[in-house]
């Protein structure tokens, strides 16, 4: 299962031409496609098996263990190694999904297996996400990490575009059982690919914990490391503010804006497509370019530009203009997000990568979604325009945090 740097190629090559990185990318893409199919199957089975309120509860069940256990998942990734954790996570998810598929094929058990499956996914995600974030520095050199972030972004976009229709096709042909079976098979594809991936040896850090200390002690050591770090601490704040101002308007706010302007579901779909196209273009740019200079400053400038575009979206005169603005939002948000990810991976010591990724994931996936109900309530009280502008201002504070911290402002990606 383990491999050493002696197995790695002596001559460094670009990540998009490295067979080892491409095997990891294939595994990650298959796993993400399986996730997309799984969510389609889960939502369909929940709606068919209970009331709308019960279906909503089933869909939300996985969020709680993910948020509560994410920091602990970072400790697990650092203690046992991200590759081992990712392989184990995918194996557990595959087995759980296939078990539910078989159960649904044989009988109609109601909502309890769906609830249990959602809990399992949420729990496994809590260790899977930090481990996935800690893997890239073990696959390639530090100078290729920005390119890997771009490749990862392309994989996510591809999985989103292809996975959802596959899930719908599975439901149409064989119901939820077939869709769950398809999801399990896609996740299963990732396991042998991950087993074949070679890991680079990274220098140990004796101060990082994860030795004879307790898991709680390791967590405290990791949080203290982030708090004292001259780049990571302000970067976490910038990510938190940027996501907090971005998540509400681009989720529930967009739906309410489309309804208010009479764009309809098709108009909103075009706007969402514009955002996805922009984000995909950002990932492609980083994949081809590999590195952007003055990364810390660029994060701030991209966040500033994205915040202006978010505020402008509420005042777009029509669907065409809204699509153009959404494309710009996606491009700038994609660039800033990828650069933040690359900075996290290059600035953090290898022994802390799981815990650093866990904190960043918790900020984005745990705290930022809280803005969605707040945005909906505020739009109901004040209208879309003011709320989008306030959200843009919150997002812009992330850029201020990046520029105000000398360490982050001067941060560079390695060559």
């Amino acid at each position: 299962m383990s491999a050493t740097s002696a197995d790695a190629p002596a001559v460094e090559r670009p990540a998009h031409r490295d067979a080892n990185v491409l095997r990891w990318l294939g595994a990650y893409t298959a796993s993400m496609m399986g996730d997309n199919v799984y969510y389609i199957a889960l939502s369909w089975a929940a709606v068919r098996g209970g009331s709308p309120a019960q279906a909503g509860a089933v869909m939300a069940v996985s969020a709680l263990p993910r948020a509560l256990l994410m920091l602990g998942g970072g400790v697990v990734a650092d203690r046992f190694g991200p590759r081992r954790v990712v392989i184990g996570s995918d194996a557990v998810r595959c087995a759980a999904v296939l078990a539910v598929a078989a159960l649904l094929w044989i009988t109609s058990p109601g909502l309890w297996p769906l609830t249990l499956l959602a809990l399992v996914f949420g729990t496994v995600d809590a260790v899977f996400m930090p481990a996935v974030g800690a893997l890239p520095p073990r696959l390639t050199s530090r100078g290729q990490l920005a390119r890997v972030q771009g490749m990862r972004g392309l994989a996510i976009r591809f999985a989103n575009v292809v996975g959802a229709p596959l899930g719908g096709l599975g439901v149409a042909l064989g119901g939820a059982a077939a869709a769950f079976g398809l999801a399990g098979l896609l996740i299963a594809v990732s396991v042998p690919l991950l087993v074949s991936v070679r890991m680079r040896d990274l220098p140990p850090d004796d101060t990082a914990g994860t030795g004879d200390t307790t898991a709680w002690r390791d967590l405290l050591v990791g949080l203290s490391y982030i708090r004292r770090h001259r780049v990571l601490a302000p970067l976490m704040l910038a990510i938190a503010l940027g996501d907090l101002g971005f998540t509400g308007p681009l989720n529930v706010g967009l739906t309410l804006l489309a309804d208010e302007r009479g764009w309809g579901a098709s108009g909103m779909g075009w706007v969402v497509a514009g955002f996805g196209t922009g984000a995909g273009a950002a990932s492609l740019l980083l994949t081809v370019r590999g590195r952007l200079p003055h990364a810390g400053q660029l994060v701030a400038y991209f966040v500033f530009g994205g915040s202006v575009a978010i505020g402008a979206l509420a005042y777009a005169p029509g669907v065409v203009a809204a699509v153009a603005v959404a494309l710009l939002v996606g491009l700038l948000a994609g660039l800033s997000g990828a650069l933040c990810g690359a900075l996290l991976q290059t600035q953090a010591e290898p022994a802390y990568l799981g815990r650093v990724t866990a904190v960043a994931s918790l900020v984005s996936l745990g705290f930022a979604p809280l803005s969605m109900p707040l945005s909906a309530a505020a739009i109901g009280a004040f209208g879309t325009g003011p709320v989008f502008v306030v959200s843009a201002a919150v997002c812009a504070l992330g850029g201020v945090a990046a520029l105000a911290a000398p360490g982050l402002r001067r941060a560079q990606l390695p060559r």
Side-chain angles (χ1 to χ4, degrees), residues 34-82:
D35 274 3
N36 278 274
V37 175
Y38 155 77
Y39 282 112
I40 294 293
L42 183 67
S43 61
W44 178 263
V47 168
R48 295 296 296 268
S51 67
Q54 290 173 325
V58 170
M59 297 300 295
V61 157
S62 62
L64 184 61
R66 185 188 298 124
L68 292 179
L69 302 176
M70 184 73 74
L71 295 180
V75 174
V76 172
D78 286 336
R79 273 182 170 252
F80 297 100

Side-chain angles (χ1 to χ4, degrees), residues 29 74 228 282 286-287 314 331 334:
T29 304
R228 297 193 313 268
L286 280 176
T287 299
L331 177 65

Side-chain angles (χ1 to χ4, degrees), residues 1-26:
M1 297 287 289
S2 62
T4 66
S5 57
D7 300 320
V11 179
E12 180 182 329
R13 65 188 66 177
H16 62 291
R17 298 177 182 174
D18 188 335
N20 193 52
V21 176
L22 293 177
R23 284 195 296 272
W24 163 80
L25 187 67

Side-chain angles (χ1 to χ4, degrees), residues 39 76 93 132 189 201 218 251 281 292 301 330 342 349 377 394 400:
Y39 282 112
V76 172
R93 293 194 303 166
V132 164
V189 169
D201 283 337
D218 289 347
N251 286 277
L292 295 178
Y301 298 148
E349 294 294 330
V394 172
V400 173

